[in-house]
Amino acid sequence: MKMRINYSEATSILIILQTLWWGLNSQCEEPIESSKLDLSVTYDLPHFVSDTPVQKLLEFNGTVYVGAVNKLYALSKDLKKIHEYNTGPVHEGHDCSAPDPCSGCKNKPLNKNNTNMALLMETFYDLELFSCGSVGNGVCHRYLLEDGPLDAEISCMYSKKNKDSSYGCPDCLAGPSGTQILNVMSSGVVRFFVANSEVLDSTVPRLHHTISVRKMRETQDGFEFFSKQSYMDLAPGLRGNYPLHYVYSFQSGPYIYFLTVQREGGSSNAFHTRIVRMCSSDPEILRYVEMPFECIYSERRRKKRSAQVVFNVLQAAHVAKVGYDFQQEMGLKEGEDVLFAAFARSKPDSPEPTASSAVCLISITDINNFFRDFMQKGYTRKLSHFPGSEDKNFNQVRAFNQIMHFLQSVLARVAIWFIRDTGYRLEVTSTNPRRDYFHGRFRNVLLTSIAVVPIQNHTVVSLGTAEGRVIQVVVSRFGKTEPHVDFRLDALPVSSEMALLSPQRHDGSLLLVTGNKTSDRCTRAPRCSPSHWIQDTCPLLITTISPSSAPLGGHTNMTICGKNFGFNKKDRFDTKLIDVVVAGLILINKHWLMLSNPVITDIFPEFGPKSGGTVLTITGSFLDSGNMQLVTMGNATCALQRFVCLQIY
């Protein structure tokens, strides 16, 4: 990479980066010296320490909401506490004659901590925050935020009218093993899509549906299902002994998605990751399909074929827009969503991860294309772990595919209406593996967190590890995947829970969680004091400066080659050294640059014939200053034959 600098006279040194544009004429050679990060650097980053472990994080309009054990916090964007509200502990147990899910047993000793299982914002009806805990069978509390702090108006989302519902407990949203909840507004109704990880204990009472969609009651004091088709549960024989973990959820376009880690099949002991897709407009689970999601890396071995390593268990994921460079590399349209996923290799026949990771990515457009192609080709079957997925749904899809293959007229449109009207619940039997984007760089690391932020033309990926480290990588269409940042954030693992603070602004930040600490990091340089700017761990490396000297009064174009200038080697920065010391030498990153005007001490011979042709020898100092030398005699320009550099001691 290179940058050109124009010099002018002044009294001190100050470099200002001005205009970024494309189109470099000359090229720099790749620097031989490598720029190694100082992995021992630590930072005193802005942070907030909760009294108890943090589980959930949410940002809205510059306010950070933190869900922790027995606590709910509202923080300013610089992580100063605005308000806190106690959500526990409570008393729960068999000694409660008439337990109240909203407050537990009154006048009893407090014996149960309340873990925050879900935290979500709803703005269609009111500006309201929902916090769903592990106590009270997973009921949620609704905080109306328009009138003041968190405790200005609180409602417990439990209606006694739902107690004897034939659909189970509509108000019991959050399951004890983990919950993913998405609230989506469609057709004037906010639909709450809820997915609960499976409790590995067959003796636990079943109050929570595995996956469901519900709405808020008109009285806003609880929830209700649209019908008995609005939920699905694992087959009775699998309840309590079928590991099923919902890792991540998101909405993109007309669909909502859940990412799971589960067994490859009902009788298999091997584990893999799946993408679950549902229609956000469905009041019932009408159009439901699952597809395997696999991340692979081809490991090269001596004298043998490369071995394919499968990273099968998802640890963290993030859906984001990407920068222009990466958008061009992937052939994406502007504004398309891309799924970034951090995988690990699991122990044999176990979902437990090992310290070996890979990062794979896929556009949401490609995900939907795979779903469409596999379903049209019939690479599907009825769900093996959810009952109620009848053969007729599977056969309807096959019939639809056959009709679509042979008919391209009115009958085809009738078939489309037919399959959409009757719905489907399927799992795809094939997969299209994605390759590790970082080519095995993290095969000895357990990644636990991933966040992606587009910055100008670039795409910045921030990765957290089980050892409490944060690694930041800029990826672009030039394939640059070397970390720019690698430092220890904490001794505890970095949580997969993260939030972007004002991501649409140039001074936005990334919020990460370790244990009970929220750290505000990865912001822009103008917002940081020098000790907080994380790019300090990525030292500037200058390999050559050409020319090495320049006249004071000229406008010499300088080419500086090296690494870690903060932009790609194809970029060009026009930068002016506004203030320059008027004497001797300037030291730029251990490279001396001389600023001196040429001084002529002798010209030989002094006379020659009018016809010309005389070879002149010009002696002096700094005659090679600048990147262009010109000698004129009257109106004629002399041809320079050679330079001879003599050192006089």
Side-chain angles (χ1 to χ4, degrees):
M1 62 179 64
K2 72 176 184 178
M3 60 181 175
R4 295 176 179 265
I5 301 180
N6 296 324
Y7 285 87
S8 60
E9 297 184 45
T11 57
S12 63
I13 300 179
L14 176 64
I15 297 179
I16 299 178
L17 298 180
Q18 292 181 327
T19 308
L20 170 64
W21 61 290
W22 299 88
L24 298 175
N25 296 322
S26 58
Q27 298 292 329
C28 293
E29 296 181 358
E30 289 295 326
I32 299 176
E33 180 182 351
S34 63
S35 174
K36 295 183 178 180
L37 299 179
D38 185 353
L39 303 184
S40 64
V41 172
T42 59
Y43 296 93
D44 182 19
L45 298 174
H47 64 273
F48 169 78
V49 179
S50 168
D51 296 334
T52 56
V54 174
Q55 285 91 33
K56 295 295 177 180
L57 206 58
L58 184 150
E59 186 271 345
F60 184 79
N61 284 350
T63 301
V64 180
Y65 297 95
V66 179
V69 174
N70 298 329
K71 294 281 188 178
L72 184 61
Y73 298 95
L75 310 177
S76 64
K77 59 184 179 181
D78 58 352
L79 299 187
K80 304 298 182 184
K81 184 169 66 175
I82 301 173
H83 192 77
E84 73 174 75
Y85 179 76
N86 293 327
T87 60
V90 300
H91 182 88
E92 287 187 344
H94 297 292
D95 55 345
C96 297
S97 56
D100 181 358
C102 291
S103 59
C105 289
K106 299 186 182 298
N107 302 320
K108 293 281 188 177
L110 305 178
N111 66 349
K112 192 72 174 289
N113 288 327
N114 188 7
T115 300
N116 195 292
M117 307 300 291
L119 197 63
L120 56 149
M121 186 71 65
E122 194 283 307
T123 60
F124 181 71
Y125 301 123
D126 295 291
L127 181 57
E128 50 194 355
L129 179 72
F130 290 89
S131 173
C132 310
S134 59
V135 301
N137 296 327
V139 300
C140 303
H141 283 75
R142 172 176 167 263
Y143 301 83
L144 195 62
L145 302 177
E146 293 178 345
D147 298 328
L150 285 170
D151 57 356
E153 184 177 338
I154 303 174
S155 302
C156 179
M157 301 297 289
Y158 177 78
S159 174
K160 293 182 179 179
K161 297 178 182 179
N162 288 334
K163 184 176 181 181
D164 299 322
S165 171
S166 59
Y167 301 155
C169 178
D171 295 325
C172 301
L173 268 70
S177 292
T179 298
Q180 291 288 332
I181 302 178
L182 283 172
N183 53 313
V184 178
M185 198 281 290
S186 179
S187 302
V189 178
V190 178
R191 310 175 197 276
F192 293 80
F193 290 84
V194 183
N196 282 306
S197 299
E198 181 63 9
V199 179
L200 297 181
D201 185 352
S202 58
T203 64
V204 175
R206 299 295 164 180
L207 297 174
H208 306 90
H209 295 294
T210 304
I211 195 162
S212 61
V213 55
R214 64 196 83 190
K215 64 180 178 179
M216 193 161 45
R217 293 171 60 89
E218 292 183 359
T219 53
Q220 294 185 312
D221 61 349
F223 296 92
E224 60 185 0
F225 296 112
F226 292 92
S227 76
K228 65 178 181 180
Q229 299 296 324
S230 297
Y231 56 86
M232 292 194 303
D233 293 315
L234 286 176
L238 299 178
R239 299 301 298 265
N241 56 27
Y242 183 85
L244 171 61
H245 177 50
Y246 290 90
V247 181
Y248 183 68
S249 58
F250 63 95
Q251 178 191 8
S252 180
Y255 300 107
I256 62 111
Y257 304 81
F258 294 98
L259 301 183
T260 74
V261 172
Q262 61 190 85
R263 286 199 182 117
E264 292 184 359
S267 60
S268 174
N269 290 324
F271 285 81
H272 70 171
T273 299
R274 293 190 186 184
I275 302 175
V276 175
R277 192 187 74 177
M278 303 167 64
C279 287
S280 60
S281 60
D282 282 350
E284 301 171 326
I285 304 178
L286 299 177
R287 288 162 285 187
Y288 177 97
V289 61
E290 299 182 358
M291 179 174 63
F293 184 23
E294 196 172 81
C295 190
I296 63 173
Y297 168 66
S298 296
E299 191 175 53
R300 295 181 180 178
R301 296 181 178 179
R302 291 183 177 180
K303 299 181 181 180
K304 293 183 179 180
R305 287 185 175 183
S306 60
Q308 182 173 287
V309 180
V310 178
F311 298 84
N312 56 321
V313 288
L314 183 72
Q315 299 301 296
H318 186 207
V319 167
K321 316 292 183 186
V322 298
Y324 177 80
D325 289 345
F326 208 56
Q327 174 186 315
Q328 293 297 304
E329 176 184 331
M330 296 189 68
L332 300 174
K333 296 179 181 179
E334 185 177 358
E336 277 197 66
D337 289 329
V338 178
L339 171 63
F340 292 76
F343 286 83
R345 296 181 65 189
S346 74
K347 295 180 179 179
D349 297 334
S350 169
E352 186 177 351
T354 64
S356 184
S357 302
V359 175
C360 282
L361 50 103
I362 183 173
S363 71
I364 307 305
T365 298
D366 284 346
I367 290 177
N368 292 329
N369 288 340
F370 287 138
F371 273 124
R372 180 200 62 204
D373 294 344
F374 289 143
M375 292 174 68
Q376 287 183 353
K377 293 176 182 177
Y379 298 159
T380 58
R381 64 187 176 198
K382 66 177 183 178
L383 297 171
S384 59
H385 49 299
F386 285 119
S389 173
E390 300 178 0
D391 287 329
K392 66 178 183 180
N393 291 326
F394 173 64
N395 292 330
Q396 286 166 357
V397 173
R398 293 186 68 92
F400 163 68
N401 294 333
Q402 293 172 359
I403 293 174
M404 285 293 294
H405 183 71
F406 293 106
L407 302 176
Q408 299 294 330
S409 61
V410 177
L411 289 178
R413 291 194 290 272
V414 171
I416 293 173
W417 171 85
F418 178 70
I419 189 65
R420 286 182 176 175
D421 183 62
T422 56
Y424 52 84
R425 294 180 178 179
L426 302 168
E427 61 181 72
V428 173
T429 57
S430 184
T431 183
N432 193 320
R434 315 304 290 180
R435 294 192 177 276
D436 177 19
Y437 188 80
F438 294 108
H439 311 293
R441 181 182 296 277
F442 302 109
R443 60 185 178 272
N444 296 318
V445 177
L446 176 56
L447 298 176
T448 57
S449 174
I450 186 169
V452 182
V453 182
I455 300 178
Q456 296 179 353
N457 291 336
H458 308 298
T459 303
V460 179
V461 179
S462 297
L463 303 165
T465 76
E467 296 179 345
R469 301 194 70 85
V470 172
I471 303 168
Q472 189 182 73
V473 187
V474 178
V475 293
S476 72
R477 62 174 169 166
F478 302 111
K480 185 181 177 76
T481 59
E482 293 184 3
H484 286 256
V485 173
D486 188 342
F487 71 99
R488 181 174 293 278
L489 181 66
D490 200 354
L492 297 172
V494 180
S495 170
S496 62
E497 191 70 16
M498 62 87 192
L500 300 177
L501 181 60
S502 303
Q504 70 282 1
R505 293 169 53 92
H506 70 279
D507 58 352
S509 301
L510 172 65
L511 304 180
L512 296 178
V513 175
T514 61
N516 62 339
K517 179 191 296 184
T518 303
S519 295
D520 179 5
R521 62 162 295 277
C522 213
T523 187
R524 311 299 196 272
R527 303 278 296 178
C528 291
S529 65
S531 63
H532 289 167
W533 178 232
I534 57 177
Q535 288 291 357
D536 289 344
T537 61
C538 187
L540 175 68
L541 173 64
I542 294 177
T543 55
T544 60
I545 297 178
S546 178
S548 58
S549 62
L552 288 171
H555 295 276
T556 302
N557 288 326
M558 306 294 296
T559 298
I560 300 179
C561 296
K563 296 181 65 174
N564 304 324
F565 291 120
F567 51 89
N568 287 325
K569 61 183 178 182
K570 296 292 185 181
D571 297 349
R572 167 172 166 167
F573 277 82
D574 277 349
T575 308
K576 291 185 178 180
L577 187 62
I578 304 293
D579 299 330
V580 177
V581 175
V582 190
L585 302 174
I586 294 177
L587 179 64
I588 301 180
N589 199 268
K590 299 181 181 179
H591 288 260
W592 291 103
L593 177 64
M594 183 175 293
L595 293 164
S596 299
N597 283 325
V599 177
I600 297 177
T601 58
D602 185 52
I603 299 178
F604 179 83
E606 296 183 358
F607 303 96
K610 289 184 179 182
S611 59
T614 301
V615 177
L616 299 178
T617 300
I618 302 174
T619 306
S621 303
F622 314 116
L623 299 184
D624 61 345
S625 292
N627 52 10
M628 183 179 67
Q629 290 77 36
L630 186 66
V631 177
T632 60
M633 299 290 289
N635 295 326
T637 301
C638 299
L640 299 181
Q641 294 186 359
R642 61 172 178 154
F643 276 94
V644 177
C645 181
L646 299 178
Q647 293 185 351
I648 301 175
Y649 297 93

